[in-house]
């Protein structure tokens, strides 16, 4: 309840400014020659002197009922709604008795809450005025502009399109957009951990991104903007299909199906989980034949694996800022896009959707630039020297991906380069390099990497490294004393029972080895003298 309603209730003023009190005060008649009168409620038989006819007098409903004003004398009692008020209107031929300033109810004492609320309202009004003064005069809103798309006639019907062609030297941030044409299928397949992408013709790939009426998915979510991009030579054509009104999806979906039929694969960012399942549902609901499934490269999965050590999230705008060094200015927030479209459907300004189309076009350019940049950097681990200016966090990510893809040579090159990092990144890089060295049959190099990792490890991480050194010294390097020394420091990395058995086994092996060595020395014959 706001301050004004509280004040109205405390002062007895009802809605609309009408008095809510059940009692009223009779007005004092004006004019000369007033005669003393009795109360309206005086009983019959008492002498009363009547004045000439006066205006209607308002009294409480209860007093009006008790007043001896017979119906046959023409008195009328009117009640207004559910408010307990009555108006006594004298008949033209019947005067009504009046009395000088007769109060039918005692005066109510002043309520301190009313004064407090009045002060609060005054302070609030003053603050509102100061805020308006600081803002200055309100600028008039620009006149509504046209929708930033044009209608095109296609064999499938009329579609509304926004289109542009970018030259081959166009950059998005630090990366050239045409760099996506220089990727190798084998590297893309390893980077995406998807062998089906190895044989794809990346000259005919299709970049896809949608803007929808919500993020919940399901049949109630509609993609009102389908952004497409493909290469023509080394130029990139951006082709955006706009849904002018709900219920006109079929032509747009048929154009999308025709473009997919000419493409070798689709490239998205979170398209496997959101964009493509949503579009597939729209094909079914609009009774349009869905296109054949194409190989799908989802860069979100690649980005999560490679850039996870940055710790800043893997949203598309994060990739744009941190990998390509581009920060968008005045970009529309994705959470506002559905509301902007609904306003347009209700007759709003079509020009307000221009930032939405620009946002979608930038996402398409980012897909092409990010694909080319990630493959270029992944290519550097092919046995040649990895550039020293690379971020160790990304190098560690590339090493992990290469290891999962079975490319141990590339993984080892990236892991060694990542050991230049500090803190947790350097420690994890040394641990990974140790694992790869052991797989390559180099236990001494593996132990050296683990010892360097221990320099920055603490707690459970240090215990895990000690456990790896225990296994390495026991089985590969055959140094039982070193294995026992590290085993005693690895208690936090394994269950108590397993740890106790490991210690007992190593101590037993050392004891047996010592006795065997002593027996061997005692059994040797003494050397003959000179």
């Amino acid at each position: 309840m706001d301050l004004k309603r509280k004040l109205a209730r405390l002062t007895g003023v009802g809605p609309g400014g009408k008095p809510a009190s059940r009692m009223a005060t009779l007005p004092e008649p004006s004019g000369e020659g007033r005669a003393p009168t009795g109360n309206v409620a005086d009983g019959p038989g008492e002498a009363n002197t009547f004045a000439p006819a006066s205006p209607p007098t308002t009294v409480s409903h209860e007093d009006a009922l008790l007043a001896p004003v017979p119906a046959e004398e023409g008195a009328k009692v009117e009640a207004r709604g559910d408010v307990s008020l009555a108006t006594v209107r004298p008949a033209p031929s019947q005067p009504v008795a009046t009395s000088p300033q007769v109060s039918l109810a005692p005066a109510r004492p002043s309520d301190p809450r009313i004064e407090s609320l009045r002060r609060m309202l005054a302070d609030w009004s003053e603050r509102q005025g100061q805020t308006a003064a600081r803002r200055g005069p309100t600028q008039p809103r620009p006149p509504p502009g046209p929708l930033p798309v044009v209608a095109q006639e296609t064999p499938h019907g009329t579609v509304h399109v926004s289109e542009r062609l970018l030259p081959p030297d166009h950059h998005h941030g630090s990366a050239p957009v045409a760099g996506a044409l220089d990727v190798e299928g084998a590297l893309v397949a390893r980077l995406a951990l998807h062998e089906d992408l190895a044989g794809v013709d990346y000259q005919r790939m299709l970049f896809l991104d949608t803007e929808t009426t919500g993020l919940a998915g399901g049949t109630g979510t509609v993609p009102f903007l389908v952004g497409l991009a493909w290469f023509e030579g080394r130029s990139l054509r951006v082709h955006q299909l706009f849904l002018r009104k709900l219920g006109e999806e079929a032509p747009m979906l048929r154009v999308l199906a025709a473009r997919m039929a000419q493409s070798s694969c689709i490239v998205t960012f979170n398209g496997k989980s959101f964009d493509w399942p949503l579009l597939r549902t729209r094909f079914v609901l609009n009774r349009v034949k869905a296109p054949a499934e194409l190989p799908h490269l989802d860069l979100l999965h690649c980005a999560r694996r490679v850039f996870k050590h940055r710790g800043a999230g893997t949203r598309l705008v994060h990739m744009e800022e941190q990998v390509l060094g581009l920060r968008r200015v005045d970009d529309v927030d994705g959470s506002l896009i559905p509301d902007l479209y609904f306003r347009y459907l209700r007759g709003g300004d079509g020009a307000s959707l221009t930032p939405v189309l620009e946002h979608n076009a930038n996402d398409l350019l980012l897909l092409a630039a990010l694909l080319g940049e990630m493959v270029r950097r992944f290519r550097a681990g092919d046995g040649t020297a990895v550039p020293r200016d690379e971020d160790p966090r990304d190098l560690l990510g590339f090493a992990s991906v290469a290891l999962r893809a079975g490319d141990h040579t590339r993984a080892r090159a990236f892991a060694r380069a990542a050991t230049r990092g500090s803190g947790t990144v350097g420690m994890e890089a040394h641990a990974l390099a140790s694992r790869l060295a052991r797989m390559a049959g180099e236990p001494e190099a593996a132990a050296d990497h683990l010892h360097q990792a221990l320099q920055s490890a603490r707690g459970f991480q240090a215990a895990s490294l000690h456990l790896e050194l225990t296994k390495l010294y026991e089985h590969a390097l055959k140094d039982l004393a070193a294995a026992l020394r590290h085993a005693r420091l690895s208690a936090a990395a394994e269950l108590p029972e397993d740890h106790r058995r490991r210690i007992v086994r190593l101590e037993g092996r050392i004891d047996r080895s010592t006795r065997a060595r002593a027996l061997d020395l005692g059994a040797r014959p003494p050397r003959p003298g000179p």
Side-chain angles (χ1 to χ4, degrees):
M1 184 181 296
D2 55 22
L3 297 177
K4 292 184 178 180
R5 293 184 63 185
K6 287 183 178 180
L7 183 59
R9 292 187 63 175
L10 290 174
T11 54
V13 179
K18 298 179 181 180
S21 173
R22 296 172 59 91
M23 306 299 294
T25 303
L26 293 175
E28 181 178 356
S30 59
E32 297 180 358
R34 292 179 301 184
T37 60
N39 194 294
V40 176
D42 291 341
E46 296 181 12
N48 294 317
T49 304
F50 296 94
S54 61
T57 305
T58 301
V59 297
S60 71
H61 185 61
E62 292 83 351
D63 290 338
L65 293 176
L66 295 175
V69 183
E72 59 272 13
E73 293 181 359
K76 299 180 180 180
V77 178
E78 297 177 359
R80 294 182 297 181
D82 57 351
V83 182
S84 300
L85 293 175
T87 303
V88 180
R89 298 184 181 275
S93 60
Q94 179 64 42
V96 64
T98 61
S99 61
Q101 198 66 26
V102 179
S103 177
L104 300 181
R108 298 177 63 179
S110 176
D111 194 333
R113 295 177 297 174
I114 296 177
E115 297 302 323
S116 175
L117 285 174
R118 282 175 176 160
R119 287 193 300 270
M120 292 172 67
L121 279 173
D123 294 341
W124 176 79
S125 299
E126 183 178 357
R127 289 195 302 270
Q128 291 292 95
Q130 293 174 353
T131 302
R134 286 195 301 268
R135 289 175 179 170
T138 304
Q139 297 294 332
R141 297 185 63 182
L147 184 68
V149 296
V150 295
Q152 287 186 3
E153 294 297 330
T154 71
H156 313 290
T158 303
V159 294
H160 295 80
V161 179
S162 176
E163 193 172 50
R164 70 187 76 174
L165 184 65
L166 301 177
D169 60 349
H170 185 84
H171 280 60
H172 192 76
S174 61
V177 174
L181 291 171
D182 301 327
V183 302
E184 300 93 337
L187 289 181
V188 174
R190 294 173 191 173
L191 192 61
L193 301 179
H194 196 329
E195 288 300 325
D196 292 345
L197 295 171
V200 169
D201 178 11
Y202 288 95
Q203 305 295 313
R204 297 190 299 115
M205 59 185 155
L206 177 66
F207 300 97
L208 183 146
D209 185 64
T210 64
E211 306 300 336
T212 67
T213 57
L215 298 178
T219 57
T221 303
V222 178
F224 68 87
L225 182 63
V226 178
L228 306 173
W230 62 87
F231 284 100
E232 296 178 354
R234 292 189 70 85
S235 299
L236 183 70
R237 182 171 295 278
V238 177
H239 192 83
Q240 296 169 286
L241 304 172
F242 179 75
L243 186 63
R244 187 173 57 92
K245 66 169 64 173
L246 297 178
E248 296 183 351
E249 289 180 79
M252 180 179 73
L253 293 174
R254 289 190 175 96
V255 171
L256 171 61
R259 172 47 56 182
M260 291 183 64
Q262 303 176 42
S263 304
S264 59
C265 71
I266 58 175
V267 182
T268 65
F269 197 88
N270 197 31
K272 284 187 175 180
S273 300
F274 183 77
D275 298 82
W276 179 241
L278 176 62
L279 289 171
R280 190 170 51 208
T281 300
R282 303 314 300 178
F283 276 106
V284 174
L285 294 177
N286 287 274
R287 298 182 179 180
V288 177
K289 183 179 179 181
E293 294 280 348
L294 295 175
H296 193 155
L297 172 58
D298 193 333
L299 292 182
L300 173 62
H301 301 159
C302 301
R304 280 177 174 171
R305 288 188 285 263
V306 172
F307 303 113
K308 63 181 179 180
H309 300 285
R310 288 179 176 263
T314 52
R315 291 182 57 198
L316 201 54
V317 291
H318 294 155
M319 299 297 98
E320 193 171 43
E321 293 178 12
Q322 298 189 20
V323 180
L324 304 181
L326 176 65
R327 185 179 184 86
R328 300 185 190 183
V329 179
D330 297 330
D331 183 46
V332 62
D333 191 296
S335 62
L336 303 178
I337 290 178
D339 185 59
L340 291 174
Y341 180 65
F342 286 130
R343 288 184 185 180
Y344 163 76
L345 292 180
R346 292 192 294 266
D349 184 7
S352 63
L353 291 175
T354 300
V356 178
L357 270 74
E358 193 67 25
H359 173 90
N360 180 259
N362 281 327
D363 286 350
L364 292 170
L365 299 182
L366 176 55
L367 287 175
L370 184 61
L371 173 59
E373 181 68 8
M374 291 180 68
V375 173
R376 181 192 68 79
R377 296 173 64 180
F378 192 54
R379 187 186 300 119
D382 58 356
T384 61
V386 178
R388 297 189 63 85
D389 58 348
E390 290 281 0
D391 192 321
R393 298 172 296 179
D394 300 344
L395 296 174
L396 179 58
F398 281 121
S400 301
V401 171
L403 176 60
R404 290 184 60 182
D407 190 346
H408 294 172
T409 301
R410 193 180 305 273
R412 194 170 184 186
F414 279 122
R416 286 175 174 174
T419 57
R420 296 193 296 264
S422 60
T424 303
V425 172
M427 180 200 67
E428 293 185 8
H430 276 295
L432 182 57
S434 172
R435 179 182 175 188
L436 290 165
R438 186 172 180 180
M439 293 171 66
E442 301 176 9
E444 295 84 1
D448 182 61
H449 280 297
L450 289 176
H451 282 292
Q452 293 186 60
L454 276 172
Q455 295 178 8
S456 56
R458 299 291 183 274
F460 177 79
Q461 292 177 332
S464 300
L465 294 174
H466 282 296
L467 182 59
E468 291 299 319
L469 281 168
T470 299
K471 298 176 182 178
L472 189 63
Y473 278 115
E474 180 180 4
H475 303 293
L477 297 175
K478 307 300 181 182
D479 188 343
L480 297 179
L484 180 60
R485 184 170 63 254
H486 287 287
R488 287 177 174 145
L489 298 173
S490 64
E494 53 184 348
L495 296 174
E497 185 63 24
D498 294 338
H499 179 69
R500 186 186 64 80
R501 282 201 299 265
R502 186 182 301 277
I503 297 294
V504 170
R505 185 183 72 250
L506 287 171
E507 290 177 341
R509 290 189 62 184
I510 292 174
D511 185 58
R512 290 192 297 272
S513 175
T514 303
R515 288 201 304 269
R517 192 164 47 249
L519 290 174
D520 182 59
L521 291 175
R524 290 180 182 177
R527 290 184 178 182

